Amino acid sequence: MKNLLKSKSLPKPTENPWETLESKPIYENPWIHVQEHQVINPSGGRGIYGTVFFKNKALGIVPVDEQGYTWLVGQYRYALEEYCWEIPMGGGKILENNVSIEEQLLQAAQRELLEETGLIAEKWTKIARIHTSNSVTNEEGFVFLAEGLTQTDSSPEETEKLEVIKVHLSDAVKMVLKDEITDAISMVGILKAAKILNMV
Amino acid sequence: MKNLLKSKSLPKPTENPWETLESKPIYENPWIHVQEHQVINPSGGRGIYGTVFFKNKALGIVPVDEQGYTWLVGQYRYALEEYCWEIPMGGGKILENNVSIEEQLLQAAQRELLEETGLIAEKWTKIARIHTSNSVTNEEGFVFLAEGLTQTDSSPEETEKLEVIKVHLSDAVKMVLKDEITDAISMVGILKAAKILNMV
């Protein structure tokens, strides 16, 4: 075990120690595709690995107004069979066009915030990159802090039945600490936003 | 939109607004099973939903010694095709026996910490419940804070090729803020542990 007390730099990452012998497509829909791989693991043992690839990036937005209030969205999550309070969130597809990935993520985040809360923000800051569940999926999420807010009318998607509430960011932090908010991207987004805005 | 300034209590969650017409098993291995559902969404529209059910609970541990140091584990993540620095983590299977779920989670966390770092802890505190990726999966994770540490020899699993480093918890927080740690459970665990221990 290395002690990083002195060097303060991380050991150099190793190359991919897994060998993939064969990959078989299992299932695909507009959002995910599932594969099963025959592998040799880092210790030389033979086995299988099932992976879930996400076609979209997960985008979370922490809108914060001048008084320090933020917006939370409540919805029943089908896969979880549980009602969840989250930051405004959605999926962003990265297209192969002339628009940079950064710009596509930002535009998707702006669209999601507007759709779910009716908010338009002047100032956008990307505050986190997150791998949600890296033992099985390749899902990658990003969180934006959105400031300079203007309220318009909202228009949630057909599949979404959303409840929207406005709470102080410091109260959202308390909800995270009490596990009243359990969505990983929301937890990270709220804790990071509060730290960045010196509200902790 | 409700403003919770005054009431400070959340609106009552709705019942499940999704209707499932049919569920079809797609794929199963020792860790996950995938299903496709024919559904009617909350707005009455017909569609499909693919879900990934996890057979294990995700367990993360933030060990912190008397000087405020913690341990991080580096490994190449097969599903992500990326090298990741994380808190000690693993999967815990919940068995139907006479041992309570809480106790099974704790025992699995103790086993994982020992296997990955060689540490034994006297004091265990569950500090977070996390849903990692609730748009598609039902994965549920828990984070424990482990204190009162004793170092023994470690014995990582066959499939794991782990690098273990020791850093101050305040430096781990900085790594989270800089997105050098991107695993969701690790990010939540480190930020929450630092808050609980007043190290932020």
Side-chain angles (χ1 to χ4, degrees):
Chain A
M1 191 197 64
K2 296 186 179 65
N3 187 321
L4 286 192
L5 289 187
K6 287 161 193 161
S7 74
K8 296 267 181 182
S9 69
L10 296 174
K12 210 172 172 182
T14 59
E15 305 250 311
N16 182 356
W18 293 80
E19 189 180 343
T20 302
L21 303 173
E22 197 192 329
S23 295
K24 186 171 64 170
I26 299 287
Y27 170 72
E28 185 163 4
N29 70 24
W31 305 280
I32 58 171
H33 59 104
V34 179
Q35 291 189 313
E36 186 181 85
H37 313 272
Q38 301 288 331
V39 296
I40 297 175
N41 71 36
S43 303
R46 185 88 188 245
I48 62 159
Y49 211 119
T51 57
V52 180
F53 287 86
F54 280 62
K55 297 184 180 181
N56 298 321
K57 302 296 181 187
L59 297 168
I61 305 104
V62 184
V64 183
D65 73 9
E66 283 172 12
Q67 287 77 46
Y69 285 90
T70 192
W71 280 251
L72 297 177
V73 175
Q75 67 181 300
Y76 190 93
R77 284 294 191 173
Y78 183 82
L80 204 60
E81 298 182 350
E82 202 166 306
Y83 196 89
C84 296
W85 288 98
E86 301 168 9
I87 60 176
M89 289 203 349
K93 193 172 285 302
I94 302 299
L95 302 170
E96 288 188 13
N97 57 23
N98 290 327
V99 183
S100 74
I101 291 172
E102 292 286 316
E103 186 60 27
Q104 290 187 51
L105 292 173
L106 177 60
Q107 288 173 2
Q110 290 171 333
R111 199 166 51 238
E112 283 298 336
L113 181 65
L114 181 62
E115 279 178 5
E116 297 198 346
T117 66
L119 291 167
I120 292 173
E122 275 175 20
K123 186 182 169 195
W124 288 81
T125 315
K126 195 171 77 179
I127 61 168
R129 175 180 181 232
I130 305 169
H131 296 113
T132 58
S133 181
N134 66 16
S135 70
V136 168
T137 84
N138 76 335
E139 191 183 30
E140 184 178 39
F142 296 92
V143 181
F144 289 87
L145 175 63
E147 297 168 284
L149 304 175
T150 308
Q151 181 74 57
T152 70
D153 289 338
S154 68
S155 56
E157 279 178 27
E158 193 204 26
T159 53
E160 297 179 337
K161 191 173 178 180
L162 306 177
E163 183 102 35
V164 181
I165 59 173
K166 187 174 168 183
V167 296
H168 201 271
L169 185 55
S170 61
D171 288 323
V173 169
K174 285 179 196 148
M175 290 173 71
V176 171
L177 294 180
K178 288 190 280 182
D179 288 339
E180 290 172 358
I181 292 172
T182 58
D183 167 62
I185 291 177
S186 301
M187 296 174 96
V188 169
I190 289 167
L191 292 178
K192 268 203 164 182
K195 242 183 126 49
I196 288 165
L197 297 172
N198 284 316
M199 289 175 64
V200 283
Chain B
M1 191 196 65
K2 296 187 179 67
N3 187 321
L4 286 191
L5 290 185
K6 289 161 194 162
S7 75
K8 296 267 181 184
S9 70
L10 295 174
K12 208 171 173 183
T14 59
E15 306 250 311
N16 182 356
W18 293 80
E19 189 180 341
T20 303
L21 303 172
E22 197 192 330
S23 296
K24 187 171 66 171
I26 300 286
Y27 171 71
E28 185 163 3
N29 70 24
W31 306 280
I32 58 171
H33 58 103
V34 180
Q35 290 189 313
E36 185 181 85
H37 314 271
Q38 300 289 329
V39 296
I40 297 174
N41 71 37
S43 303
R46 186 88 187 248
I48 62 158
Y49 211 119
T51 56
V52 180
F53 287 86
F54 280 62
K55 297 183 181 181
N56 297 322
K57 302 296 180 188
L59 296 168
I61 305 103
V62 184
V64 182
D65 73 9
E66 283 171 13
Q67 287 76 45
Y69 285 90
T70 191
W71 280 250
L72 297 177
V73 175
Q75 68 181 299
Y76 190 94
R77 284 294 190 175
Y78 183 82
L80 203 61
E81 297 182 348
E82 201 165 307
Y83 196 89
C84 296
W85 288 98
E86 301 169 10
I87 61 176
M89 289 201 351
K93 194 171 284 304
I94 302 298
L95 303 170
E96 288 188 14
N97 57 23
N98 290 327
V99 182
S100 73
I101 291 173
E102 292 287 313
E103 186 59 28
Q104 290 188 51
L105 292 174
L106 177 61
Q107 287 173 2
Q110 290 171 333
R111 200 167 51 237
E112 282 297 335
L113 181 65
L114 181 62
E115 279 179 7
E116 297 199 344
T117 66
L119 291 168
I120 291 173
E122 276 176 17
K123 186 182 170 195
W124 287 80
T125 315
K126 194 170 78 180
I127 62 168
R129 176 180 181 233
I130 305 170
H131 296 114
T132 58
S133 182
N134 66 15
S135 69
V136 168
T137 84
N138 75 336
E139 191 183 30
E140 185 178 40
F142 297 92
V143 181
F144 290 87
L145 175 62
E147 298 168 284
L149 304 175
T150 308
Q151 181 75 57
T152 69
D153 288 336
S154 67
S155 57
E157 280 178 26
E158 194 206 26
T159 55
E160 296 179 338
K161 191 173 179 181
L162 305 178
E163 183 101 35
V164 181
I165 59 173
K166 187 175 169 184
V167 296
H168 201 270
L169 184 56
S170 61
D171 288 324
V173 170
K174 285 179 197 150
M175 290 172 72
V176 171
L177 294 180
K178 288 190 281 182
D179 289 337
E180 289 173 359
I181 293 173
T182 58
D183 167 61
I185 290 178
S186 300
M187 296 175 97
V188 169
I190 289 167
L191 292 178
K192 269 201 163 183
K195 243 183 127 47
I196 288 165
L197 297 173
N198 283 317
M199 288 175 65
V200 283

